[in-house]
Amino acid sequence: MSEPLAYIVDDDEAMRDALNWLLRSRQVKTATWPSAEAFLAEWHEDLSGCLILDIRMPGMSGLELFDQLQDRRCLMPVIFLTGHGDIPQAVAALKKGAYDFLEKPFDDNSLVDRVIAALAVDSARRSKQIHSDEITARLAQLSPRERQVMQHILAGKFNKVIADEMQIAMRTVEVHRARIFEKMGVRSAVDLAQLLAGIKNQ
Amino acid sequence: MSEPLAYIVDDDEAMRDALNWLLRSRQVKTATWPSAEAFLAEWHEDLSGCLILDIRMPGMSGLELFDQLQDRRCLMPVIFLTGHGDIPQAVAALKKGAYDFLEKPFDDNSLVDRVIAALAVDSARRSKQIHSDEITARLAQLSPRERQVMQHILAGKFNKVIADEMQIAMRTVEVHRARIFEKMGVRSAVDLAQLLAGIKNQ
DNA sequence: GCGCGCACTGCGGATATCCACAATTGTCGA
DNA sequence: TCGACAATTGTGGATATCCGCAGTGCGCGC
């Protein structure tokens, strides 16, 4: 988990420098990249922050980079900058999940406000993701049989009913149940249901 | 719950007729309104479908109507149409929750596809809302005391612990518990947790 | 062969949950 | 005043959950 930065990707060095200076004047840490390819080559999922992305660049475009990042489940909010955009392009980007879309020239304060807001969004997303990853790791510790028993538990069934349906002894259900609670770090079926509900709607 | 329609709001009668004809040719039912005020006067929360909304109209604008509808918790997806829009306007509308944003003149097929997609979104939202309303109605049936006990149950506590914390007899906790499950239509604390989790993330 | 993990089982005892039956008290509205 | 509802409580009995202790069998890797 790296420190949150605003990542600036633009082939225009003057623009990179201007954005760099602007954001740093508002205490936002930055890193800059001259091309989509260069950024992508160094991207990894633990980079945190947001991405300020020029659309029109030689080689890979901003939109193409965005697609690539989405394919890789990148969580960072993306703010598109464009000097020659149009409404359909803006609408399509936002509907695809981009965080914002600005035309150049832009209002300095407005841009920084949006970057700061995007960083907050990233932070919230990342906290959720860390939590979700932890639960997923616990689930991965369950044996196949435990997983089956867990589904029945979550369906609110009595141990006796579970035993009947799985054609095993009730004592066995109890053993699996205890092991599930232990591995999942919960003390009751309600705790378990709440824990799993918390990652289900993400 | 009325039948799902595409509601067309545009001051330009020729546009209303053209949209009407276009959508009906693809079996989409429609209704038309010549002004934002006229639509708003007849709007009620059980109207289902989607809204095709011209931005620029005399009197109340499409954007103002959108704000009004959001204030009233309107679920219908809104598709904005504009002959004179710009990127910031489109971005702002989408970030505020509009479903789509199209420039005139538009591609006929593209518009109808988006309307059909918006109708599906409305349908899904409405199903969720009906379910959520039902749970909320059940919750409204609980007495104040029952509500308190329910929070403890959902925290996974033993009846004995709940009794201690609330300074009542364990038998009283059991009575409340049984009443809660009955009113909520569940048979166990797990069922209850799952039921409430289902409406929590909406 | 040995150790480990998984799946399974039984016994006995303790605690938790559930509930029929019964009752009391207080508040509110007709 | 009366009836409905909410909050509370006790008794006794049935069922459900939990678990220590003990054990078996199978598959897998070293």
Side-chain angles (χ1 to χ4, degrees):
Chain A
M1 178 59 72
S2 63
E3 182 179 17
L5 300 180
Y7 296 91
I8 301 159
V9 182
D10 198 317
D11 60 307
D12 178 352
E13 184 176 8
M15 179 55 65
R16 291 200 306 273
D17 291 343
L19 286 172
N20 203 26
W21 177 88
L22 176 63
L23 289 165
R24 285 175 181 271
S25 73
R26 290 271 296 270
Q27 272 73 53
V28 176
K29 292 183 174 143
T30 59
T32 66
W33 307 91
S35 73
E37 292 92 342
F39 178 76
L40 191 58
E42 303 225 15
W43 178 83
H44 59 90
E45 68 184 4
D46 293 327
L47 286 190
S48 74
C50 72
L51 190 56
I52 303 165
L53 193 48
D54 185 38
I55 288 191
R56 226 174 290 138
M57 291 186 280
M60 190 184 285
S61 73
L63 287 165
E64 282 165 335
L65 174 58
F66 182 53
D67 285 343
Q68 287 283 327
L69 292 174
Q70 286 204 309
D71 288 345
R72 299 175 194 204
R73 305 295 171 97
C74 174
L75 294 178
M76 283 202 282
V78 174
I79 298 174
F80 280 107
L81 293 184
T82 181
H84 306 281
D86 59 24
I87 285 178
Q89 192 178 55
V91 170
L94 285 167
K95 289 186 78 170
K96 261 210 216 166
Y99 179 72
D100 222 323
F101 195 105
L102 291 188
E103 289 179 295
K104 300 170 183 174
F106 43 75
D107 174 68
D108 286 356
N109 268 325
S110 176
L111 177 78
V112 180
D113 289 344
R114 292 175 191 217
V115 169
I116 288 167
L119 289 174
V121 165
D122 176 70
S123 176
R125 284 183 188 169
R126 215 152 285 272
S127 295
K128 273 197 185 178
Q129 190 61 35
I130 286 166
H131 177 66
S132 177
D133 288 345
E134 192 184 314
I135 308 305
T136 301
R138 290 187 209 170
L139 283 170
Q141 288 182 313
L142 299 179
S143 72
R145 206 61 171 159
E146 284 163 354
R147 247 182 233 110
Q148 285 177 15
V149 170
M150 187 177 77
Q151 294 312 312
H152 288 283
I153 290 171
L154 292 172
K157 296 175 189 174
F158 291 161
N159 289 349
K160 174 176 163 182
V161 172
I162 297 170
D164 285 346
E165 291 183 5
M166 293 177 73
Q167 291 179 307
I168 49 177
M170 202 161 67
R171 185 74 187 92
T172 304
V173 174
E174 290 170 2
V175 169
H176 284 314
R177 192 185 180 96
R179 303 262 314 156
I180 290 161
F181 288 178
E182 184 193 339
K183 288 178 180 179
M184 298 304 295
V186 298
R187 293 184 313 160
S188 70
V190 175
D191 289 341
L192 181 64
Q194 310 251 30
L195 186 71
L196 295 182
I199 67 166
K200 191 172 166 187
N201 293 294
Q202 294 189 28
Chain B
M1 178 59 71
S2 63
E3 182 179 18
L5 300 180
Y7 296 92
I8 301 160
V9 181
D10 198 319
D11 61 305
D12 178 353
E13 183 177 7
M15 180 52 67
R16 290 200 305 274
D17 290 345
L19 286 172
N20 203 25
W21 178 87
L22 176 62
L23 289 166
R24 285 174 180 271
S25 75
R26 289 270 297 268
Q27 274 74 51
V28 176
K29 292 182 174 143
T30 58
T32 66
W33 307 91
S35 73
E37 291 94 341
F39 179 77
L40 191 58
E42 303 225 14
W43 178 82
H44 60 89
E45 68 183 6
D46 292 327
L47 286 188
S48 73
C50 71
L51 189 55
I52 302 166
L53 194 46
D54 185 38
I55 289 190
R56 237 202 251 160
M57 291 187 281
M60 189 186 286
S61 73
L63 287 166
E64 283 165 335
L65 175 58
F66 182 52
D67 286 343
Q68 287 284 327
L69 292 174
Q70 288 203 309
D71 287 346
R72 299 176 194 205
R73 304 296 171 95
C74 174
L75 293 179
M76 282 204 284
V78 174
I79 298 175
F80 280 107
L81 292 185
T82 180
H84 305 279
D86 58 25
I87 286 179
Q89 193 179 56
V91 170
L94 285 167
K95 290 185 78 169
K96 261 210 220 171
Y99 180 72
D100 222 322
F101 196 103
L102 291 189
E103 289 179 296
K104 300 170 181 174
F106 44 76
D107 174 68
D108 286 356
N109 266 326
S110 176
L111 176 77
V112 180
D113 289 345
R114 292 177 191 214
V115 168
I116 288 169
L119 290 174
V121 165
D122 175 71
S123 176
R125 283 183 188 170
R126 215 150 285 271
S127 294
K128 274 198 183 177
Q129 190 62 36
I130 286 167
H131 177 66
S132 177
D133 288 346
E134 191 183 313
I135 307 305
T136 300
R138 291 188 208 169
L139 284 170
Q141 289 181 313
L142 299 180
S143 73
R145 206 63 168 155
E146 283 162 355
R147 249 183 231 107
Q148 284 177 17
V149 171
M150 188 176 78
Q151 295 311 311
H152 289 283
I153 291 171
L154 291 173
K157 295 174 189 175
F158 291 161
N159 289 347
K160 177 175 162 182
V161 171
I162 296 170
D164 284 346
E165 292 185 7
M166 294 179 70
Q167 291 181 305
I168 52 176
M170 199 159 70
R171 182 74 189 96
T172 304
V173 174
E174 290 169 1
V175 169
H176 284 316
R177 192 185 181 96
R179 303 268 305 164
I180 290 162
F181 289 179
E182 183 193 338
K183 288 178 179 178
M184 296 308 293
V186 297
R187 295 184 309 159
S188 69
V190 175
D191 289 342
L192 180 64
Q194 310 251 33
L195 187 70
L196 295 182
I199 67 168
K200 191 172 166 189
N201 291 293
Q202 296 190 26

